[in-house]
Amino acid sequence: FFFQAEDGIRDYKVTGVQTCALPICAPPSKNVRLRGSVLPFREAVEKRFDAPLVEKWGGDLLVLLADDGRVYPLLPTETARFFYQDEQMQRRPMELGVRLDDRSQTIDLIDVHSVKDGRLNEIYYWCEICAIKRYQKKTCECCQGPVEVREHPVEIGRAHV
């Protein structure tokens, strides 16, 4: 949907009113599930297109290199810290629940599952001392102790295939 806006110019020398169409709704996006590996942009482009990039172009941006060969930039949101904070989560088979922006093809991470032997696994960090599950790699808030990565097969009824 669009509405027209006037620029407010009123002058005897101006013969008409300039207008423009402005969107009144957010760009379309949809929730989808994508399989692939999250890796640095530079590495994904070099791998996908077999073309080395100049210097350090691409910075710290991470992307999903999907199983179908598409490259989706991963927005650096709170949920995406899972990949930005822990390199061991990168470069391995994953299934991501994402909000995909139709116009920019960027993805906003909703949830993460690892894929092993074709099966989905819940993946998270665990504090053995306090029995607390978390989705960011940092010391336990309760005991200040270390956390470890855990992966468990998703029950059939809960799997998003």
Side-chain angles (χ1 to χ4, degrees), residues 2-149:
F2 292 88
F3 74 94
Q4 288 195 328
E6 297 180 4
D7 66 6
I9 297 174
R10 301 279 183 197
D11 193 303
Y12 73 92
K13 297 176 188 171
V14 177
T15 57
V17 176
Q18 297 176 357
T19 62
C20 63
L22 301 173
I24 59 171
C25 60
S29 66
K30 57 188 171 197
N31 292 353
V32 297
R33 300 202 68 78
L34 300 170
R35 283 197 180 191
S37 298
V38 172
L39 48 142
F41 173 79
R42 178 184 184 83
E43 190 176 322
V45 170
E46 289 176 350
K47 186 175 189 176
R48 170 72 173 90
F49 299 105
D50 193 30
L53 299 179
V54 294
E55 299 172 17
K56 292 194 175 200
W57 192 79
D60 296 329
L61 180 67
L62 295 177
V63 298
L64 174 70
L65 179 55
D67 288 350
D68 66 4
R70 293 182 185 176
V71 178
Y72 298 96
L74 179 61
L75 296 175
T77 61
E78 188 70 26
T79 312
R81 283 183 187 228
F82 186 79
F83 293 105
Y84 280 93
Q85 288 181 334
D86 190 355
E87 281 194 40
Q88 71 176 331
M89 294 301 135
Q90 298 174 21
R91 299 174 191 85
R92 53 186 294 188
M94 297 282 186
E95 180 175 293
L96 309 181
V98 300
R99 192 170 0 273
L100 172 64
D101 182 85
D102 286 340
R103 293 182 183 167
S104 67
Q105 294 297 293
T106 56
I107 55 176
D108 182 11
L109 186 62
I110 298 170
D111 66 66
V112 179
H113 289 89
S114 63
V115 180
K116 284 187 175 181
D117 300 321
R119 292 197 53 165
L120 293 182
N121 293 278
E122 181 180 14
I123 186 167
Y124 55 89
Y125 298 98
W126 180 256
C127 174
E128 189 64 40
I129 298 167
C130 303
I132 295 175
K133 183 191 294 187
R134 60 175 35 260
Y135 295 95
Q136 289 185 18
K137 183 181 182 181
K138 58 183 179 181
T139 58
C140 177
E141 296 158 344
C142 182
C143 70
Q144 303 305 308
V147 295
E148 63 185 37
V149 175

